[in-house]
C-alpha cells in the first residue's frame, strides 16, 4: 500500500468520515435538540464525495490496495451517480422526516455509510471487497426500510427484505465459493484470466449461475423480484427512492463487471439467460402493475419492468450495450428518485395517501407536485425529450445493434403497455377531485427548500438526459471502454435464441 | 433574408414553446393565457407564411434546411426542412392553432394556464413532425405530440376523459414501439437517421429484403393507427367525443397521412407498392364503413369521427394509389380536411358550448335562431361533401380520378359511392340540427349567434374553402415540388391515357 | 375588345347578386335587394341577347360559333391533368342560355310579387341568383368538369330553395332528398367523367368530339359505358326513371322555384347534357336505345300518376317528369334538336303553368289542393287565360308551342328503327293522358263552382301577371319558329336527324293523330269533371286497386324506403355499428385489454405476501438458472463425447 | 482416522441440520444449529484451518448463537404455530431444492482435479493468515469496520424505543 | 485407498447438502428466528466450501473469506435480530405466515 492508494478510495473515505462525524455529533447533541442540521452535514459530505469522485477522473485509471479496488471512468460514472442519488435523497429526507424524530442522526449516518458500500461495490475488483460492500449497502437499506418501525408495515418490509436478501446473498456467496473453487482466486482480473482455462467448466458455470442469481435478486429482476412490491410498499418513501435506485445502480455495475469481466467467454451462456430474464422482468413488472391501486406498489412493479429494460440493453450484446445500460441506470435514477420525491411529498412520511384514488385532483391542490408527477410519469413512459426516452432509446438501440430485434420489440411493446398504468395515475391527477369531506381534508403538501432543491435536481437531470444527453452518454461510453470488454464477436452463438430473423 | 431562411424553421418550432413558457411564468388571471396563446399562434402563423412566400418553386428538394449535430453517437441531427409535401401542412398547422384557441376561448373556463400551455406544446410537436428530416427527431416529435393531447383530453373530457385519453394514447403509443424498433434497425444497418440518406440507401438495395419488409410494415402500422385506417380506428370516436374541440381538430389525419407519404411510401416505395392493393382495399372499406356509421350516429362528435374516418380513408386511397396525381390530391385533401374539419369543429363546439349537449336529437330548427351559424355550417358541410368550387371537390376529384384511371376501377367506383353517402349524412345532420321545427332545447335557450371573434375566424376559413376550390393551382404548384422516392420517379406517373390503348375499336380497324 | 363576348360575365353577374344579397341582404332595404336580384339576371340576359342578336343576324357581326373562352389560369393542374375554366358559346348553349336567362328573368320578376311578404326575401333572391350562376355555368361549360360544377351547383341551389321553408320538416326533407338523389345521379356523371378521362385523356367536349371523329369505327364498348354513366347523371338531374322521386317532393319549395328550377331549366340539364355529349351517344346505339326507353317509360309512367294527383303543383310536377320523358325519348331517337326544341317550348309553357298555379295558390292564400278550388275563372281572369294558353300548349293543340315540339319528337320516334313505332305509340298514349290530366286540372281549378267557401280570391299583383302574360305569348307563339328552322340552326352542334328535314305527309298525318288524341283527352276530362263531376269518383271507386296504386304513386317511395334506405340504415346500425364496430373491433380491443388485466390479476396472485412462498420462487429461479447454464454444457459435452 | 472423523462429524452436521428443521421450538433449533456449527469447526480442523475452527466456535457458536438464544428468550418465542402456510413452498420449493441439489451434486461429483484431504496436509497457520489479511486484504478488513458500524447503528436505531419519536410530538 | 484422506468432493457434497437443508429450512420453518437460523446454516455451508477449496488450492484467501463471512454473519445477526424485535413489537408475532400485511 502506498499513500496514493487512499486517493483511489477518496469518495468512500469522505463518506465514511461524514458518517462517523454525524454519529459523533448525534451522540454529543442533547437528546431533545433538533437534528435536522445533521442532514445538511450529510448532504455536504455527499457533495464533497461527489466532487471527489469527479476529481478522480484526473487520476490515471488504475488499481490500489493490492488490486482490490480500481479507479476508472466506469467507477467514476457510478460513483457520481450514486452520490448524486444519495444527495437528492438526503435533501428529500430533510423535509420529509418528522422534525422531532430522535433517530435522524442514525438515519443520515446510515444513508451516508450505506453509500460507502454502494460506491465500493462499483469500484471493488476483489470479490471479497464486493461481498462486504454489498453487505454494507444491504444492511444499511435493511435498517432504513425498517425505519418507520412503529407502523406495522415498515418492519414487515424490512424483515422480508432482510430475510430474502440474506437468502439471496447465500446464493451469491456460494457462487463466489465455487468460482474460488474453480480458480483458487477471488480477484476479478485473475478470475477472468484463469476461468477460460479452468479445469472444471461445469463448476465455473455453476459459479456464474449462482452469482448471477444473487445479483439479479438485488436488481429485482424477474423471477427474483417477488420481494420488491412488498418492500417498496412498506418502506418509507424516501428510503424507497434510495433503494430503488442507488443500490440498484451499484448492483447493475456489479452485474456488468461480473458478466463482462469475469465471464466474458461464457457470453453464449449468459446472454440468452439475460434475454429471458429481461423479457420476463418487463412483462411481469408491467402486467402486474396494471391493476395496482397503491402508487408505491405500482412503482415497485414499474421498477421491476425497468430492470428488464436495463437488462435488455446488454442482453442484446450490442456494441453500445454497457454504455446504454450505464446511461439507463442514470436516466432511471433521475426520474425514479424524482417520482418518489413527489410520492413522498404527497403521501407523507406515513404513507397515508398512497392509493391512486388519493391522487385525484392533485394538480389542483398542488400544481407543482402534480405537474412534476405528470412530468416524471411521462419520462417513465418514455416520451421523447425526457431521460426515460433516451434511456430506453439507447437500451433498445443497443439491443437492435446486437441484432436482438425481438428483444427490442418486446421491450418497446412493453413500454407501451406500461403507459397504461403510468397514465392512469397521470390522468387521475388531472381529474377534478370530488367535493367530498375526505378530499377537502387532505392537506396540501408544502414544499420546503430542501425538497425543492431535490426536485430541481431530478427535473434538471431528467431534462438534461433527455434533451442534451451527449455528455452523459460520452461518460457512460468512456466508462464502458474501461470495463475490460473483449471484442464482441461477429456472430454470437445466441443468435438462434435471441433473434429469430423476422420473416 | 438568407439568415432568416436558414433559421425560420427553428423559429417556427420555438415560437409556440416560448409562448407556452410565457403562459407558465405569468399568472393565471382571467383570459391572459388565452390572449398569450392567441398571440403566439398568430405569430406562428405569420412565421409559417414566410415559407410559401419564400419557397422557390424551381428549386427541387428541401428548402429552408438546417442541420446541426445534436447527439454524436448515435448520430442524431437536428435536421429540419420543408418541401412541397410539408410546406402547406406547416402552414395548415399554423392556421389551425389560432382556430383552436378561438374554439377554446369560451369553452375552456378554468385552468386556462395548463390548457393553453399544453396546447402550445402540442403545436410545437406537430410542427416538429412536419419539419423533421432526421428520423429520430421526427420520432421524438411524433411521440411528444401524444402527451399534451392525452393530458388535455383527460382534463377536459366531457364524460370520461381519462378513459378516452388512455385509449387514444395506447392506441397510438403501442404501435409506435415497432416503429422505433424499425428505425433502430435502419440505424443499425445504415448508420444514419437522415431521411435523404436513408432514402438513397434503401433504394440502392443494399439492405436485406426480408427484414426491410417488416421495417416498412412497422412504419406503416404506426401511421395507419394514427390516421386511422380501418379497422384501426377504435380510438377515434371516443377521442372526438371527449377531446376539447381545439385538440380534436388536430388529432386525426394530418400527422399519420403525412408520415405515410414521407416515411412509408417515401422511404420504402417497393414495400409500399407490395402492400398498396391491401391498403387501397382497406381505404375503400373504411370510406364506406365510416360513411355508413356516420349515418346512424346520435352524437355529432361521433358522427364527425366516422365522417373523418371516411374522409381520411379517401386520402389514404389517394396515397396508396401510388399515382402522382393521387398524391397531389391526397396532399391537397389533407389541407382541405384540416380547414373544413377545423371549421366544423369550431361550429359544433360553439353549438355545444351554447346548448350544452352533443346529442343531435336535442337540436332542431336552429337556423332561424342562429342563422349565421347555420349558413357557415351549411357551407362547410358542402365543402366537406365535395361540392365543386369548394375545396373538397378538387382533392376528391384528383384522388378518385387517379384511382379510377391509374389504380382500379372497381375500388374507385366504390369510393365514389362513399362520397355520395357523405352527402347523405352531412345533409341529414344539417337538417336535424338546423331545420325543421324548433326543438324544446332550441326554443328554450336564448342562445346568441356567432360572436365577432368567431366570425372573424370563420369567414376567412370559408373564403379559404372557396379559394382553394376555385384556384387550387396556387397550392398544387407547390405541392408538386416535393421530393419523391427516387425509385418511384418515372416508374409511376399518371397513366397517360392513350387512345390506342383505350379504344379497341380503333385497334380493330 | 370587339371580338370578345365576355362570356364569363354571364354567370358572374348572378354570382355577384348572390354574394351581395347573401352576405349583406339581411341588412339591406327591400327595394335594394329587389334591384340587385333583378338587375343581375337582367344583365346576363342582356349579354346573351347581344350575342344572340349577332347570331340571328340582327346586329353586328360576331365571332363565329362555336366561340370558346378559356380562363388563362387553369383550374386543376396536377401532374398530367390539366383542367381549365373554359366556356363555350355555340348554337346549343345559346338556345339554352336564352331560355335560362330569359325565363329566369321573368320568374325573378314574378317572384318579387310572389315572395313579397316572405321573411327570407333576401335569402330567396340570393339563392335564385346562385341558381342562375350555376345554371349558366352548366350551360356554358366547355368541358365536363366545369359542367359538373354547374351540375352540382344547381343541385345545391335546388336544395337550398326547396328547403326554403326550412322550419317545415317536409320541406327540409324534400331538399335533402333532392340533393341526395341528385347526388346518386352525379355519381354516374362522375364515373362517366373518370371514364372519359381514362379513355380520352381530356374532358373538353370539343376535343372528345374531335378524337371520336378521328376514330370513325370506334363504337360501343367503353363508349356505351360512358354513355350509360352519363345517362345515370342525366336521369338524376332530369328526374327520369328510376331517379325521378325527388321532383314531386321538390314542390315543397316556393312556387317560383318550382317554375324555374323544377320545370323550366334545371331539370332539363340532363337533356342538355346528352345533347352536349351526343357524339358519344351517337356511337352507342345501345345506350341511345336505353335513353329512349327511359324517356318513353318515364313519360308514360309519370303521366299515369299525374292522372289522380290532387295537389296542383304535384300534377304539374308529374307532368314535368312526363314531358322530360319526351325529351329523353327525343334524344334517344337521336333527334337532339327536337328534344331541345321541346325543351325550349316546355320551358315556356311549364314555367307559365307553374307561375299561373302559383298565382292561383297566391289567390287562395296558400291552398294547393285541387279539390278545394273551382270557379276561379271569373275571379282571377288573367291567370285563367294565361293558364289556358299553357294547358293548350302542353296538351299539344295546334298552333300552340307544345304542338310543334312534341310532334317533332313523336315523328322522329316513329321514324326511328324497329322500336320506333312502339315509342311513338307510347308517346301518343302519354299525350292522351297529358291532355286529360291537364284539362282535369283546368276544370277543377277554374271552372265549376267554388268548393271552398272561406276564401276570397284576388288577382295577383302586376309583377306576377306581367311575366305570366309574356310567357303566355311565348307558349302560344314559341313553336312557330318551326322544327325545320330550329333543327337547321342547331345542326352544326348536334347534327341533323332524318326527321328534321322538313314536313312530310306522314308527319302531317301523325300530327293529326296527336291533335285528335289531345282532343280526346279534353273530352274525357270534360265529361268527367264538367258534365258529371261525380263520375270521376265513381270511376276511382270502380277500380280501387288501380286508383290506390296511382294515388300512391306506385309506392315507389315506399319501395325505395324499404329496399334502399331502411336496409342501409339498418345494416349501418345493426351490422356495422353493433356487430362490427362495437362487438368485433371493440371486442378485440376489450379482449386485449382484458387479457392484460387478467394476466395482471394472475401475476398479483403471485405476490401472496408470504415470505416462504417468495423463497420458494427464489429457489426455483436459482434452480432454473443453474439448469439453464448447466444443461447446454452437459449436453454439449455429451455431444462432443459422441464426436470423439 | 480422517475418514472416521469426517463421517462422524459430517453425520453430526447433517443430523443437527435435520434436527434444526424438525424441531418446532426455536430454542431447540438453536441448539441444533450450535451442534452443526461445532461439528463444522471440527471439519475445518480436518481441513487444516485451525484459526477458522477456533473462530467458528467463538464467533458463531459462541457470539452469534448466544445472540439468537438471547432474542428467543427476550421475545419469549414459543413453539411454531401450525399455520396453513404456503403451498408454493411445498409445490414449488421442494422440487426446486431437489433439482438444485441434484445439479450441484453433478457439478461437484464430476469435478476434475479435486484433491483429497488428509490430516497433516496444508495446515494454515494464523501467521500466514494474518500476513495476507493485513497486507493484501487490508482494504476489506478496514471496510468491515464500516459494516460493523452500520450493524451497531442499525441495531441501536431499531431496538431503542422511539421515546422521542411520535409520543413526544403528540 | 491409493491416497490418504478422503476426496474433497465429499466435503463439497456435505456443504451442498447443508446448503440445501438451509434452503429447505427457510421454506418450512414457521418462526422468523428459525428462518434466520436456516440462513445461518446456508452461510455455514458455504463456509465449508470455502475452507475445502482453500485446502484444495492451498490458498489462504479462502479461509480469510470465511473469516469475513463470519463477521458479516455476526453483523447480519445483530441487525436481523433487531429487525425481528421490531417486527415483534409492531405485530406481536413471529410467525412467518402472519407477516403478510402487504401482498398482491
Amino acid at each position: 500500500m502506498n499513500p496514493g492508494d487512499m486517493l483511489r478510495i477518496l469518495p468512500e473515505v469522505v463518506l465514511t468520515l461524514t458518517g462517523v462525524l454525524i454519529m459523533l455529533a448525534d451522540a454529543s447533541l442533547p437528546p431533545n435538540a433538533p437534528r435536522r442540521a445533521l442532514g445538511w452535514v450529510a448532504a455536504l459530505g455527499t457533495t464533497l464525495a461527489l466532487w471527489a469522485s469527479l476529481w478522480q477522473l484526473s487520476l490515471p485509471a488504475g488499481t490500489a490496495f493490492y488490486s482490490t479496488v480500481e479507479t476508472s471512468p466506469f467507477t467514476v460514472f457510478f460513483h457520481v451517480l450514486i452520490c448524486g442519488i444519495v444527495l437528492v435523497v438526503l435533501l428529500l429526507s430533510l423535509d420529509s422526516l418528522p422534525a422531532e424524530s430522535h433517530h435522524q442522526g442514525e438515519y443520515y449516518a446510515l444513508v451516508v455509510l450505506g453509500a460507502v458500500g454502494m460506491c465500493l461495490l462499483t469500484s471493488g475488483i476483489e470479490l471479497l471487497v464486493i461481498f462486504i460492500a454489498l453487505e454494507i449497502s444491504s444492511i444499511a437499506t435493511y435498517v432504513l426500510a425498517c425505519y418507520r418501525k412503529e407502523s406495522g408495515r415498515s418492519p414487515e418490509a424490512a424483515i422480508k427484505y432482510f430475510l430474502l436478501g440474506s437468502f439471496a446473498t447465500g446464493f451469491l456467496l456460494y457462487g463466489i465459493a465455487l468460482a474460488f473453487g474453480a480458480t483458487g482466486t477471488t480477484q476479478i482480473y485473475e478470475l477472468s484470466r484463469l476461468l477460460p482455462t479452468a479445469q472444471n467448466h461445469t463448476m465455473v458455470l455453476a459459479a456464474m449461475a449462482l452469482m448471477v442469481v444473487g445479483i439479479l435478486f438485488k436488481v429485482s429482476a424477474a423471477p427474483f423480484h417477488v420481494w420488491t412490491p412488498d418492500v417498496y410498499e412498506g418502506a418509507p418513501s424516501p428510503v424507497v427512492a434510495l433503494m430503488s435506485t442507488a443500490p440498484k445502480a451499484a448492483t447493475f455495475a456489479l452485474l456488468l463487471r461480473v458478466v463482462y469481466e469475469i465471464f466474458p467467454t461464457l457470453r453464449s451462456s449468459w446472454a440468452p439467460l439475460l434475454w429471458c430474464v429481461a423479457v420476463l422482468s418487463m412483462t411481469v413488472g408491467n402486467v402486474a402493475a396494471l391493476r395496482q391501486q397503491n402508487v408505491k406498489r405500482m412503482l415497485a412493479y414499474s421498477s421491476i419492468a425497468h430492470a428488464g429494460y436495463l437488462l435488455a440493453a446488454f442482453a442484446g450484446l450490442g456494441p453500445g450495450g454497457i454504455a446504454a445500460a450505464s446511461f439507463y441506470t442514470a436516466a432511471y435514477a433521475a426520474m425514479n428518485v424524482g417520482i418518489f420525491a413527489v410520492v413522498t411529498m404527497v403521501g407523507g412520511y406515513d404513507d397515508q395517501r398512497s392509493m391512486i384514488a388519493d391522487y385525484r385532483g392533485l394538480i389542483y391542490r398542488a400544481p407543482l407536485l402534480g405537474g412534476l408527477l405528470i412530468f416524471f410519469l411521462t419520462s417513465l413512459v418514455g416520451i421523447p425529450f425526457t431521460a426515460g426516452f433516451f434511456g430506453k432509446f439507447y437500451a433498445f438501440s443497443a439491443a437492435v445493434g446486437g441484432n436482438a430485434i425481438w428483444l427490442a420489440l418486446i421491450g418497446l411493446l412493453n413500454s407501451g403497455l406500461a403507459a397504461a398504468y403510468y397514465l392512469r395515475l397521470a390522468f387521475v391527477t388531472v381529474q377534478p377531485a370530488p367535493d367530498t369531506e375526505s378530499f377537502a381534508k387532505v392537506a396540501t403538501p408544502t414544499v420546503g427548500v430542501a425538497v425543492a432543491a431535490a426536485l430541481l435536481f431530478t427535473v434538471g437531470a431528467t431534462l438534461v438526459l433527455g434533451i442534451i444527453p451527449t455528455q452523459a452518454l460520452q461518460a457512460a461510453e468512456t466508462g464502458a471502454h474501461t470495463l475490460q470488454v473483449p471484442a464482441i464477436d461477429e456472430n454470437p452463438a445466441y443468435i438462434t435464441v435471441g433473434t429469430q430473423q423476422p420473416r | 433574408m438568407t439568415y432568416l431562411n436558414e433559421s425560420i424553421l427553428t423559429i417556427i418550432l420555438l415560437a409556440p414553446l416560448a409562448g407556452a413558457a410565457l403562459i407558465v411564468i405569468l399568472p393565471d388571471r382571467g383570459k391572459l393565457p388565452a390572449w398569450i396563446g392567441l398571440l403566439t399562434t398568430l405569430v406562428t402563423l405569420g412565421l409559417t407564411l414566410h415559407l410559401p412566400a419564400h419557397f422557390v418553386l424551381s428549386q427541387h428538394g428541401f428548402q429552408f434546411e438546417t442541420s446541426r449535430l445534436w447527439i454524436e453517437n448515435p448520430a442524431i441531427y437536428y435536421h429540419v426542412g420543408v418541401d412541397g409535401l410539408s410546406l402547406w401542412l406547416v402552414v395548415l398547422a399554423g392556421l389551425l392553432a389560432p382556430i383552436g384557441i378561438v374554439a377554446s376561448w369560451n369553452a375552456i373556463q378554468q385552468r386556462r394556464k395548463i390548457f393553453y400551455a399544453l396546447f402550445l406544446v402540442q403545436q410545437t410537436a406537430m410542427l416538429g413532425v412536419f419539419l423533421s428530416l432526421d428520423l429520430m427527431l421526427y420520432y421524438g416529435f411524433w411521440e411528444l405530440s401524444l402527451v399534451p393531447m392525452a393530458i388535455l383530453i383527460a382534463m377536459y373530457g366531457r364524460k370520461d376523459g381519462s378513459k378516452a385519453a388512455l385509449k387514444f394514447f395506447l392506441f397510438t403509443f403501442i404501435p409506435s414501439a415497432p416503429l422505433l424498433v424499425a428505425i433502430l434497425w435502419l440505424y443499425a444497418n445504415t448508420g444514419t437517421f437522415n431521411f435523404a440518406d436513408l432514402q438513397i440507401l434503401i433504394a440502392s438495395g443494399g439492405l436485406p429484403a426480408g427484414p426491410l419488409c417488416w421495417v416498412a410494415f412497422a412504419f406503416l402500422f404506426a401511421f395507419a393507427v394514427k390516421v386511422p385506417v380501418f379497422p384501426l380506428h377504435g380510438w377515434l370516436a371516443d377521442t372526438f367525443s371527449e377531446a376539447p374541440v381545439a385538440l380534436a381538430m388536430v388529432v386525426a389525419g394530418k400527422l399519420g397521412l403525412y408520415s405515410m407519404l414521407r416515411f412509408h411510401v417515401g422511404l420504402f416505395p417497393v414495400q409500399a407498392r407490395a402492400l398498396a392493393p391491401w391498403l387501397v382495399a382497406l381505404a375503400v372499406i373504411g370510406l364506406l364503413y365510416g360513411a355508413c356509421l356516420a349515418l346512424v350516429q346520435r352524437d355529432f362528435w361521433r358522427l364527425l369521427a366516422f365522417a373523418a374516418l371516411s374522409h381520411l380513408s379517401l386520402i389514404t386511397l389517394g396515397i396508396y394509389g401510388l399515382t402522382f396525381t393521387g398524391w397531389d390530391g391526397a396532399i391537397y385533401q389533407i389541407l382541405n380536411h384540416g380547414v373544413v374539419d377545423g371549421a366544423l369543429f369550431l361550429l359544433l363546439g360553439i353549438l355545444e358550448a351554447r346548448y350544452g349537449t352533443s346529442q343531435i336529437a336535442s337540436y332542431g330548427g336552429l337556423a332561424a335562431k342562429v342563422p349565421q351559424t347555420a349558413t357557415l355550417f351549411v357551407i362547410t358541410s358542402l365543402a366537406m361533401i365535395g361540392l365543386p368550387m369548394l375545396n373538397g371537390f378538387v382533392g376528391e376529384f384528383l384522388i378518385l380520378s387517379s384511382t379510377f384511371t391509374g389504380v382500379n376501377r372497381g375500388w374507385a367506383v366504390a369510393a365514389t359511392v362513399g362520397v355520395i353517402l357523405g352527402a347523405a349524412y352531412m345533409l341529414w345532420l344539417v337538417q336535424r340540427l338546423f331545420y325543421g321545427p324548433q326543438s324544446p332545447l332550441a326554443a328554450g335557450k336564448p342562445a346568441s349567434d356567432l360572436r365577432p371573434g368567431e366570425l372573424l375566424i370563420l369567414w376567412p376559413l370559408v373564403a379559404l374553402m372557396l379559394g382553394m376550390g376555385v384556384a387550387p393551382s396556387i397550392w398544387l404548384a407547390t405541392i408538386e415540388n416535393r421530393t419523391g422516392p427516387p425509385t418511384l420517379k418515372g416508374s409511376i406517373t399518371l397513366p397517360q391515357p392513350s387512345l390506342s390503348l383505350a379504344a379497341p375499336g380503333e385497334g380493330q380497324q | 375588345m370587339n371580338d370578345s363576348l365576355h362570356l364569363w360575365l354571364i354567370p358572374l353577374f348572378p354570382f355577384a347578386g348572390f354574394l351581395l344579397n347573401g352576405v349583406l341582404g339581411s341588412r339591406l332595404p327591400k327595394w335594394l335587394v329587389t334591384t340587385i336580384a333583378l338587375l343581375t339576371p337582367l344583365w346576363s340576359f342582356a349579354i346573351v341577347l347581344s350575342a344572340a342578336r349577332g347570331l340571328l343576324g340582327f346586329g353586328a357581326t360576331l365571332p363565329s360559333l362555336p366561340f370558346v373562352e378559356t380562363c388563362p389560369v387553369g383550374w386543376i393542374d396536377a401532374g398530367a391533368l390539366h383542367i381549365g375554366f373554359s366556356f363555350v358559346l355555340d348554337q346549343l348553349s345559346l338556345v339554352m342560355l336564352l331560355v335560362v336567362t330569359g325565363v329566369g328573368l321573368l320568374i325573378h320578376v314574378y317572384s318579387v310579387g310572389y315572395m313579397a311578404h316572405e321573411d327570407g326575401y333576401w335569402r330567396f333572391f340570393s339563392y335564385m341568383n346562385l341558381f342562375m350562376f350555376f345554371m349558366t355555368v352548366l350551360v356554358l361549360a366547355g368541358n365536363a368538369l366545369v359542367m359538373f360544377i354547374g351540375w352540382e351547383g344547381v343541385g345545391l341551389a335546388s336544395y337550398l330553395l326547396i328547403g326554403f321553408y326550412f322550419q317545415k320538416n317536409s320541406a327540409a326533407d324534400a331538399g335533402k332528398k333532392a340533393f341526395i338523389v341528385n347526388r346518386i345521379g352525379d355519381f354516374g356523371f362522375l364515373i362517366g367523367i373518370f371514364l372519359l378521362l381514362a379513355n380520352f385523356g381530356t374532358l373538353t367536349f370539343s376535343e372528345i368530339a374531335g378524337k371520336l371523329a378521328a376514330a370513325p369505327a370506334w363504337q360501343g364498348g367503353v363508349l356505351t359505358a360512358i354513355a350509360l354513366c352519363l345517362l345515370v347523371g342525366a336521369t338524376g338531374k332530369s328526374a327520369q326513371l328510376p331517379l325521378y322521386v325527388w321532383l314531386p317532393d321538390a314542390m315543397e319549395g316556393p312556387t317560383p322555384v318550382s317554375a324555374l328550377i323544377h320545370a323550366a331549366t334545371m331539370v332539363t340539364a340532363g337533356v342538355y347534357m346528352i345533347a352536349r355529349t351526343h357524339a358519344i351517344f351517337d356511337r352507342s346505339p345501345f345506350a341511345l336505345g336505353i335513353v329512349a326507353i327511359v324517356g318513353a317509360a318515364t313519360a308514360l309512367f309519370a303521366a299515369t300518376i299525374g292522372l289522380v294527383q290532387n295537389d296542383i303543383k304535384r300534377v304539374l310536377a308529374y307532368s314535368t317528369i312526363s314531358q322530360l320523358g319526351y325529351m329523353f325519348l327525343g334524344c334517344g331517337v337521336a333527334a337532339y334538336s327536337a328534344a331541345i326544341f321541346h325543351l325550349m317550348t316546355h320551358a315556356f309553357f311549364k314555367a307559365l303553368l307553374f307561375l299561373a298555379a302559383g298565382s292561383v295558390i297566391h289567390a287562395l292564400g296558400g291552398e294547393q289542393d285541387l279539390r278545394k278550388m273551382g270557379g276561379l275563372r271569373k275571379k282571377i281572369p288573367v291567370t285563367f287565360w294565361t293558364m289556358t294558353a299553357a294547358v293548350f300548349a302542353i296538351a299539344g293543340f295546334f298552333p300552340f308551342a307544345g304542338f310543334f315540339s312534341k310532334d317533332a319528337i313523336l315523328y322522329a320516334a316513329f321514324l326511328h328503327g324497329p322500336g320506333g313505332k312502339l315509342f311513338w305509340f307510347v308517346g301518343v298514349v302519354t299525350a292522351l293522358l297529358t291532355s286529360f290530366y291537364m284539362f282535369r286540372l283546368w276544370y277543377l281549378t277554374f271552372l265549376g263552382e267554388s268548393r271552398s267557401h272561406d276564401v276570397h280570391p284576388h288577382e295577383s299583383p302586376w309583377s306576377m301577371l306581367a311575366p305570366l302574360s309574356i310567357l303566355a305569348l311565348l307558349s302560344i307563339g314559341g313553336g312557330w319558329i318551326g322544327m325545320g328552322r330550329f333543327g337547321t340552326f342547331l345542326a352544326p352542334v348536334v347534327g341533323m336527324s332524318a326527321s328534321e328535314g322538313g314536313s312530310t305527309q306522314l308527319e302531317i298525318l301523325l300530327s293529326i293523330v296527336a291533335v285528335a288524341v289531345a282532343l280526346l283527352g279534353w273530352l274525357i276530362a270534360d265529361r268527367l269533371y264538367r258534365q258529371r263531376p261525380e263520375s270521376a269518383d265513381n270511376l276511382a271507386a270502380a277500380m280501387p286497386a288501380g286508383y290506390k296504386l296511382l294515388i300512391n304513386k306506385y309506392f315507389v317511395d315506399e319501395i325505395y324506403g324499404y329496399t334502399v334506405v331502411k336496409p342501409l340504415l339498418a345494416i349501418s346500425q345493426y351490422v356495422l355499428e353493433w356487430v362490427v364496430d362495437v362487438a368485433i373491433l371493440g371486442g378485440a380491443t376489450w379482449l386485449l385489454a382484458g387479457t392484460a388485466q387478467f394476466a395482471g390479476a394472475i401475476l398479483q396472485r403471485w405476490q401472496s405476501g408470504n415470505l416462504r412462498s417468495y423463497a420458494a420462487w427464489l429457489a426455483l429461479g436459482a434452480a432454473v438458472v443453474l439448469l439453464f447454464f448447466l444443461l447446454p454444457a452437459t449436453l454439449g459435452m455429451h455431444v462432443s463425447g459422441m464426436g470423439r | 482416522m480422517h475418514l472416521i472423523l469426517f463421517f462422524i462429524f459430517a453425520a453430526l452436521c447433517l443430523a443437527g441440520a435435520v434436527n434444526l428443521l424438525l424441531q418446532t421450538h426455536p430454542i431447540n433449533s438453536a441448539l441444533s444449529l450450535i451442534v452443526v456449527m461445532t461439528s463444522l469447526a471440527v471439519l475445518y480442523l480436518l481441513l487444516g484451518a485451525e484459526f477458522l475452527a477456533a473462530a467458528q466456535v467463538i464467533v458463531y457458536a459462541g457470539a452469534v448463537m448466544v445472540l439468537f438464544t438471547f432474542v428467543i428468550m427476550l421475545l419469549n418465542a414459543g413453539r411454531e404455530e401450525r399455520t396453513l402456510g404456503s403451498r408454493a413452498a411445498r409445490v414449488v420449493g421442494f422440487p426446486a431444492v431437489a433439482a438444485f441439489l441434484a445439479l450441484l451434486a453433478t457439478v461437484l461429483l464430476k469435478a476434475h482435479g479435486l484433491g483429497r484431504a488428509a490430516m497433516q496436509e496444508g495446515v494454515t497457520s494464523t501467521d500466514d493468515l494474518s500476513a495476507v489479511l493485513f497486507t493484501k486484504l487490508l482494504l476489506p478488513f478496514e471496510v468491515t469496520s464500516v459494516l460493523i458500524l452500520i450493524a451497531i447503528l442499525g441495531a441501536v436505531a431499531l431496538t431503542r424505543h422511539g421515546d422521542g419519536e411520535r409520543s413526544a410530538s403528540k | 485407498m491409493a491416497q490418504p484422506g478422503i476426496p474433497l468432493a465429499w466435503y463439497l457434497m456435505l456443504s451442498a447438502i447443508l446448503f440445501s437443508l438451509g434452503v429447505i429450512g427457510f421454506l418450512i420453518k414457521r418462526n422468523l428466528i428459525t428462518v434466520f437460523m436456516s440462513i445461518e446454516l446456508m452461510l455455514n455451508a458455504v463456509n465449508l466450501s470455502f475452507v475445502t477449496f482453500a485446502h484444495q488450492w492451498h490458498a489462504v484467501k479462502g479461509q480469510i473469506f470465511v473469516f469475513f463471512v463470519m463477521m458479516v454473519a455476526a453483523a447480519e445477526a445483530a441487525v436481523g435480530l433487531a429487525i425481528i424485535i421490531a417486527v415483534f413489537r409492531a405485530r406481536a408475532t413471529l410467525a412467518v405466515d402472519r407477516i403478510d400485511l402487504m401482498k398482491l
Side-chain angles (χ1 to χ4, degrees), chain C residues 259-421:
Chain C
L260 177 63
I261 298 181
H262 307 122
T265 53
M266 183 190 89
V267 288
T268 61
V271 182
Y272 174 74
M273 186 252 270
I274 292 178
R276 177 58 76 197
T277 55
H278 72 97
I280 296 165
F281 281 87
D282 283 344
R283 294 295 173 87
S284 173
F286 177 75
L288 272 183
I290 299 288
V291 174
I293 291 170
V294 166
T298 310
L300 184 61
F301 177 84
T304 55
I305 299 176
L307 293 178
V308 297
Q309 294 300 312
N310 290 320
D311 184 312
I312 184 168
K313 284 177 73 181
R314 290 210 174 232
V315 176
L316 293 179
Y318 282 105
S319 104
T320 306
I321 298 171
S322 178
Q323 295 299 312
L324 289 167
Y326 271 121
M327 296 174 214
F328 268 64
L329 179 57
C331 289
V333 297
Y336 304 106
S337 325
I340 297 294
F341 192 34
H342 193 58
L343 184 159
M344 183 180 82
T345 58
H346 175 257
F348 300 150
F349 60 70
K350 187 49 69 59
L352 176 53
L353 278 171
F354 267 109
L355 294 187
S359 181
V360 169
I361 295 166
H362 189 78
L364 294 176
E367 184 56 64
Q368 299 196 8
D369 195 330
L370 285 174
R371 287 166 300 189
K372 295 179 182 161
M373 296 178 179
L376 290 177
R377 182 164 62 99
K378 300 278 165 47
K379 309 229 170 83
I380 44 173
V382 182
T383 308
F384 169 70
W385 285 113
T386 49
M387 182 100 164
T388 306
V391 168
F392 277 84
I394 192 173
F397 284 95
F398 186 82
F400 292 89
F403 165 79
F404 298 97
S405 54
K406 189 192 282 184
D407 214 43
I409 290 175
L410 288 177
Y411 176 53
F414 191 84
L415 288 186
H416 183 77
K421 309 280 187 299

Side-chain angles (χ1 to χ4, degrees), chain B residues 135-196:
Chain B
L135 239 54
M136 271 323 292
L137 188 66
Y138 159 80
Y139 183 84
F141 284 120
W142 169 266
E143 295 234 310
L144 181 65
S145 71
L146 291 177
V147 177
M149 185 81 87
I151 291 175
L152 289 180
I153 294 173
M155 273 179 96
Y156 294 93
R158 295 184 177 85
K159 289 185 290 288
D160 193 359
S162 48
K163 206 173 157 197
L166 200 57
K167 203 170 179 183
F168 163 73
F169 193 94
L170 292 184
F171 251 95
T172 25
F173 188 67
I174 292 179
S176 63
L179 172 64
L180 182 56
V181 175
I183 293 177
L184 293 178
W185 185 89
L186 280 180
Y187 182 78
N189 285 279
T190 61
T192 178
F193 286 122
N194 187 340
F195 172 74

